[in-house]
């Protein structure tokens, strides 16, 4: 499975109706709600904000809405496209600005499906890898060596606080956790405090 790493946007026009598809990384149903609300706030004049979401490690939790379009003409076709993409933890919100011409049910199904396909072509993704978050407190003289260790273990550094000692927050692929423990012990000689956030 893949997961999106950043928000992406793509649009199409069908008989003067504009369809703007926005892909947003989401990993819980609560985040799905928030994502759809934020798109509504960004597009207050839109006629419809339809959404389709696939959530979970196996991509088995779904959410979709037609947002006042005829039943099964908007959210469902978008959801089918997302389900078939192999991407999880994603919400695609499709904003529609009505152009004055009715598209009919077949036209709507095609437009919502096509706009979803367009955004999935441009959304950046990475392999879904189980990650572990950690906090590390290190002395200043270990900083350069620890940063080098992080590079070799694909650590994503989230936060650095420089005080009496340096406090680092990050995450890394769970498979690399033992290497991180070993590397921290080798570098710190007992002066590095590593806490795993569960």
């Amino acid at each position: 499975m893949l997961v999106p790493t950043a928000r992406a946007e793509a649009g199409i026009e069908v008989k003067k109706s504009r369809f703007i598809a926005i892909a947003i990384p989401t990993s819980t149903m609560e985040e799905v709600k928030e994502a759809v609300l934020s798109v509504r706030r960004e597009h207050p004049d839109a006629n419809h904000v339809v959404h389709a979401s696939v959530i979970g490690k196996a991509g088995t939790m779904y959410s979709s809405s037609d947002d006042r379009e005829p039943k099964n003409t908007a959210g469902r076709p978008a959801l089918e496209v997302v389900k078939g993409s192999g991407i999880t933890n994603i919400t695609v919100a499709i904003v529609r600005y009505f152009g004055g011409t009715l598209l009919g049910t077949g036209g709507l199904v095609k437009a919502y499906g096509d706009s979803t396909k367009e955004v999935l072509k441009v959304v950046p993704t990475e392999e879904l890898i189980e990650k572990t978050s950690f906090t590390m407190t290190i002395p200043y003289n270990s900083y350069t060596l620890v940063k080098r260790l992080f590079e070799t273990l694909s650590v994503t550094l989230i936060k650095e606080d420089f005080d009496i000692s340096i406090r680092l927050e990050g995450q890394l692929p769970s498979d690399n956790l033992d290497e991180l423990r070993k590397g921290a012990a080798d570098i710190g000689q007992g002066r590095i405090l590593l806490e795993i956030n569960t």
Side-chain angles (χ1 to χ4, degrees):
M1 291 297 270
L2 297 169
V3 288
T5 56
R7 178 180 162 131
E9 203 168 296
I12 63 170
E13 195 169 297
V14 183
K15 294 184 180 170
K16 295 191 177 156
S17 272
R18 278 174 53 223
F19 293 84
I20 304 161
I22 302 161
I24 303 165
T26 46
S27 51
T28 64
M29 286 302 172
E30 202 48 53
E31 286 177 16
V32 170
K33 270 188 216 155
E34 190 44 53
V36 175
L37 282 172
S38 78
V39 171
R40 279 186 202 284
R41 285 193 293 269
E42 287 167 35
H43 295 273
D45 301 330
N47 300 84
H48 306 278
V49 177
V50 165
H51 85 273
S53 304
V54 175
I55 304 292
K57 281 182 191 165
T60 50
M61 291 192 296
Y62 312 118
S63 167
S64 69
S65 144
D66 292 318
D67 192 37
R68 302 183 324 280
E69 290 281 31
K71 190 171 165 53
N72 293 335
T73 62
R76 169 157 257 147
L79 181 61
E80 292 307 318
V81 172
V82 179
K83 278 162 67 174
S85 71
I87 302 173
T88 187
N89 291 350
I90 186 169
T91 294
V92 176
I94 304 115
V95 178
R96 181 185 183 194
Y97 289 97
F98 184 57
T101 305
L102 293 172
L103 302 182
T105 54
L108 286 171
V109 167
K110 185 170 177 3
Y112 280 105
D114 287 351
S115 56
T116 304
K117 284 177 193 158
E118 286 306 307
V119 79
L120 292 180
K121 284 181 197 168
V122 297
V123 69
T125 58
E126 66 181 13
E127 280 292 329
L128 174 59
I129 298 168
E130 193 171 317
K131 293 193 174 176
T132 300
S133 297
F134 67 88
T135 307
M136 192 184 265
T137 308
I138 66 171
Y140 277 81
N141 62 1
S142 301
Y143 183 71
T144 307
L145 289 171
V146 166
K147 289 286 284 235
R148 224 173 277 152
L149 175 68
F150 283 3
E151 279 172 29
T152 63
L153 299 179
S154 306
V155 168
T156 305
L157 201 54
I158 295 162
K159 198 172 166 194
E160 294 180 290
D161 283 328
F162 295 88
D163 201 355
I164 297 162
S165 51
I166 304 172
R167 185 180 156 87
L168 306 170
E169 286 179 36
Q171 56 177 206
L172 81 165
S174 299
D175 290 350
N176 294 348
L177 189 55
D178 287 341
E179 288 291 316
L180 179 67
R181 283 196 176 104
K182 186 179 175 310
D186 290 349
I187 295 166
Q189 302 292 314
R191 292 188 313 277
I192 288 180
L193 175 64
L194 175 61
E195 298 168 76
I196 306 304
N197 309 336
T198 49

